[in-house]
Structure formats: C-alpha cells, structure tokens
C-alpha cells in the first residue's frame, strides 16, 4: 500500500474514526484503524463489535493495499503534522509516514485478524443533516450515564410516518424532540433505542457536512438490531440497545398546568450559574416566582448563601421550587430560543421547559421535563 493524501483530509478522517475506538479493547486489533486503498480512494475504518465508523478520502494511490495501525497514535500524529501533503506506505510490518521533513515509522497489526465491518442495514429514510444534529443535541443531554442501567443511556427513536420523535431520560429529567423526516415507507412505524453517546457523536460529525443523512435500520431480537447513518463520505453503524421494556415516559408530561413563567434564557442561565457557586453538588437552587418576577437562591456549607432577582412574567399563585442547577442549565441551554416558558403543576411535580417566541407562545417540537428537588425552608 502506498499513497499521498492532503494532511487536513487525513487528520479529519482518522480523528473521526479513532473517536469511537474503545479505551480498553477486548483484543489489541480493535484499538486499530484500518487503512485500505483501492482505485484512488482511502477508506479509514474502525470497529469494536458495537460501533463501526468508516470515512472515504480521495488520495493519489500508487499501490492498493491495507494496513492496520493504532488509531489513537495515528490520530495524535496526523493532528500534529505540518500543513503539507502526506506520503504513507506499508513496508513490511511497519507503516511509514512522511510529511515535509517529518518522518514516522509505526508498527502495524495483522490485517487478517481484523473483523469485517458490518454491512449497512436497509435504508429507512433521510433527514436534514443540520436539523438532525441540532435535535440530537437537545435530547442526548438528558440520557443517563450509568452503564449499569443500559436502557437509560439510550435515545429512543420513534419513527411514525413523516414524524421522527426522540426521547431520552436519566429518571431525573426527560427530553422530547419531534421533527419531520422523509421516510422511504410513508406507513413506517418503528421504535429503536440507540446508545446516546454514539448517536450524539455521529450527528455532530454529519451535521456540518450539510445535505441529508440517511438512516438505516434492521430489527433483530432483543438488543440485536442495528442502526446505520450515512452522509457525505462518512458512514457509521451501531448495535441497538434492548428497548423492549422502555418505560412509557411520555405520560410523565402533565396534561395541564396551574402556573407558568416566561423568562429570558441567557439571563436565567447566568443567574443560576452565579447563585449555584455556593451550592454543594447535591444542593438545589430555589426559584421563587411571583407577580414581581423571579428570585433565584441557594445555600451551601458554612452559611454561604446567594440570591439574585431577575425579570420574569409569571401567571398563577406564587411558587417556590427547587432544581438541580446543572439539569436546569442543560435544559435551558438546549432550547434553541431566546425565551423559555416554564410550566408548573405545583412545587412537587415535574416542571416542563419549552422554547417560546417573542409573543410568548410555545414553539412546538421540543419539551424538557425536570423533576423538582423537595426542600424544607
């Protein structure tokens, strides 16, 4: 294998592929990225039996072939290279990389020991890349991080006709985003639970490319299904989580509310960040709403306290409610709007945060539910 490639194209391809490689691979070859040159195209691939990534880059190919090399090391090297064309050649059991006056020799691993990448499942439809990336970011923030509860670490995709809905929850908050997409089958009705980290990384990578993202799905037995995404020259696949017993979380959204407040998003985020400086990790911030506006306060150790007032338009009986400050900031920061509408039943039931327009009306499509923390005052 021998080829010449632009430095930026190579660095970007290797970085994206290496990002999904496991930190502690079960076998050494899974820490590698596969470089395969055929007919002037370089395919950079990674696979850990759960997630596969592949990107194609145009190169000046002198000799076709393949080499398997440490992904993280190659990513570090390509990122640090000078802005000049890169010459790469497989020589015996090594990979030689030359860029300007920089030269690297890396050991390779046996290509024949590397598992074959899974085929892309059958296409289910397409969705606008930028809109998809923004929507996934809004939802993935609410997914759980606790690997002992794998179901909570996923984003549930609900494909129903021309509507794509995404849900995620860690039991303390819940995010729901609904958007339009272009299904191959107008009568489609499929649910899939995708690992949130994989979905978020994939959407982030495909969003800036623009155009359309193709979603591909194959349903197997419990936890055996696969989902694929492709856009531009990139494609990725991931095994699905077992979502057969996913709780009916949509029912958590209250059917009605007794009070609501309209606030400026950026101001409330800044106020919560400041006030939370005195709060310990598990201490909530208190939001006191009244006809006069909003007061945000928190208390910490050794009598440290903070409070700050800000403008808010509030309707309903005066209300004081406590929230985890980071969960509150996450919800506000992902609204994608300058104003937020907070809806309350009472101080002990979940509150719903929705994006609002200049007229105060809710912008449909996204809702973020957050559980209150009971506080004694």
């Amino acid at each position: 294998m021998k080829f010449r490639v632009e430095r930026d194209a190579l660095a970007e391809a290797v970085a994206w592929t290496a990002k999904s490689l496991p930190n502690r691979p079960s076998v050494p070859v899974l820490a590698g990225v596969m470089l395969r040159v055929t007919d002037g195209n370089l395919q950079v691939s990674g696979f850990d039996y759960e997630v596969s990534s592949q990107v194609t880059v145009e190169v000046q190919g002198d000799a076709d072939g393949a080499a398997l090399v440490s992904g993280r090391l190659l990513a570090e090297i390509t990122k640090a290279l000078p802005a000049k064309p890169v010459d790469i050649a497989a020589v015996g059991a090594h990979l030689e990389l030359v860029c300007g006056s920089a030269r690297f020799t890396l050991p390779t691993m046996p290509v024949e020991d590397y598992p074959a990448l899974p085929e892309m499942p059958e296409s289910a439809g397409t969705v606008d890349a930028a809109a998809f990336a923004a929507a996934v970011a809004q939802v993935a923030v609410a997914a759980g991080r606790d690997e002992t509860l794998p179901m909570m670490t996923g984003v549930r995709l609900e494909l129903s006709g021309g509507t794509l809905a995404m849900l995620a929850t860690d039991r303390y908050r819940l995010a729901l985003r609904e958007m339009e997409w272009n299904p191959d089958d107008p009568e489609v009705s499929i649910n899939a639970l995708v690992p949130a980290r994989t979905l978020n990384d994939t959407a982030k990578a495909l969003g800036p490319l623009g155009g359309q993202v193709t979603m591909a799905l194959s349903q197997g037995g419990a936890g055996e299904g696969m989902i694929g995404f492709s856009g531009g020259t990139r494609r990725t696949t991931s095994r699905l989580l077992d979502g057969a017993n996913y709780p009916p979380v949509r029912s958590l959204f209250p059917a009605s509310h007794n009070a609501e407040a309209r606030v400026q998003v950026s101001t409330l985020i800044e106020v919560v960040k400041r006030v939370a400086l005195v709060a310990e990790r598990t201490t909530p911030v208190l939001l006191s709403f009244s006809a006069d506006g909003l007061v945000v306060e928190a208390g910490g150790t050794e009598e440290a306290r903070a409070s700050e007032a800000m403008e808010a338009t509030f309707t309903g009986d005066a209300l004081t409610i406590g929230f985890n400050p980071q969960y509150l900031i996450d919800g506000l920061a992902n609204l994608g709007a300058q104003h937020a509408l907070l809806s309350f039943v009472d101080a002990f039931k979940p509150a719903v945060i929705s994006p609002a327009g200049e007229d105060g009306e809710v912008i449909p499509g996204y809702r973020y539910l957050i559980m209150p923390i009971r506080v004694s005052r």
Side-chain angles (χ1 to χ4, degrees), residues 81-155:
L81 290 175
K84 295 179 179 178
V86 185
D87 290 298
I88 294 179
V91 181
H94 291 84
L95 189 76
E96 292 189 354
L97 187 151
V98 179
C99 182
S101 57
R103 178 183 291 270
F104 293 87
T105 302
L106 308 179
T108 57
M109 294 177 272
V111 169
E112 59 274 12
D113 291 351
Y114 198 70
L117 262 66
E119 293 293 322
M120 277 288 278
E122 189 177 338
S123 169
T126 60
V127 61
D128 179 80
F132 179 64
V136 170
Q138 287 182 303
V139 174
V141 70
R145 312 283 192 273
D146 185 356
E147 296 294 339
T148 62
L149 294 168
M151 191 185 295
M152 295 298 167
T153 65
V155 172

Side-chain angles (χ1 to χ4, degrees), residues 172 254 257-261 263 268 272 275 283-290 293-299 305-306 308 312 314 317-325 328 332 341-353 368-377:
Y172 305 105
H257 56 267
N258 299 321
E260 66 178 20
V263 297
L268 181 53
V272 170
V275 170
T283 308
V285 291
L286 297 180
L287 278 64
S288 298
F289 294 94
S290 67
L294 167 62
V295 176
V296 182
E297 53 189 323
R305 299 201 64 80
E308 187 170 343
F314 181 73
D317 295 334
L319 173 82
T320 296
I321 190 166
F323 294 121
N324 174 306
L328 179 59
L332 292 166
L341 200 68
L342 287 74
S343 306
F344 309 98
V345 177
D346 59 42
F348 308 109
K349 292 201 171 61
V352 178
I353 305 175
Y368 182 91
L369 178 143
I370 179 170
M371 303 294 285
I373 298 176
R374 288 176 179 262
V375 286
S376 54
R377 301 189 70 188

Side-chain angles (χ1 to χ4, degrees), residues 145-201:
R145 312 283 192 273
D146 185 356
E147 296 294 339
T148 62
L149 294 168
M151 191 185 295
M152 295 298 167
T153 65
V155 172
R156 179 177 164 93
L157 302 185
E158 298 179 349
L159 314 178
S160 178
T163 301
L164 164 60
M166 293 183 251
L167 296 126
T169 180
D170 60 4
R171 298 180 301 164
Y172 305 105
R173 60 226 175 123
L174 163 65
L176 167 64
R177 177 73 161 88
E178 294 178 315
M179 64 185 296
E180 293 181 355
W181 76 307
N182 311 302
D184 291 345
D185 174 8
E187 303 297 314
V188 67
S189 179
I190 303 176
N191 299 327
L193 191 60
V194 188
R197 182 172 161 240
T198 302
L199 183 64
N200 200 25
D201 286 348

Side-chain angles (χ1 to χ4, degrees), residues 209-281:
L209 301 178
Q212 298 284 309
V213 170
T214 299
M215 289 175 53
L217 265 170
S218 68
Q219 301 281 62
E224 290 176 1
M226 183 173 286
I227 192 164
F229 301 94
S230 61
T233 58
R234 300 181 180 189
R235 54 155 271 198
T236 189
T237 66
S238 172
R239 284 184 58 160
L240 297 175
L241 297 168
D242 182 3
N245 298 314
Y246 198 78
V249 291
R250 280 177 182 262
S251 62
L252 294 174
F253 287 104
S256 60
H257 56 267
N258 299 321
E260 66 178 20
R262 182 171 171 267
V263 297
Q264 187 163 17
V265 171
S266 57
T267 306
L268 181 53
I269 289 175
E270 288 172 13
V271 170
V272 170
K273 281 181 178 177
R274 275 195 292 270
V275 170
L277 291 172
V278 301
E280 293 176 310
R281 229 173 71 101

Side-chain angles (χ1 to χ4, degrees), residues 65-76:
L68 183 64
V69 66
S70 166
R72 300 211 187 280
L73 179 58
L74 187 61
E76 291 291 330

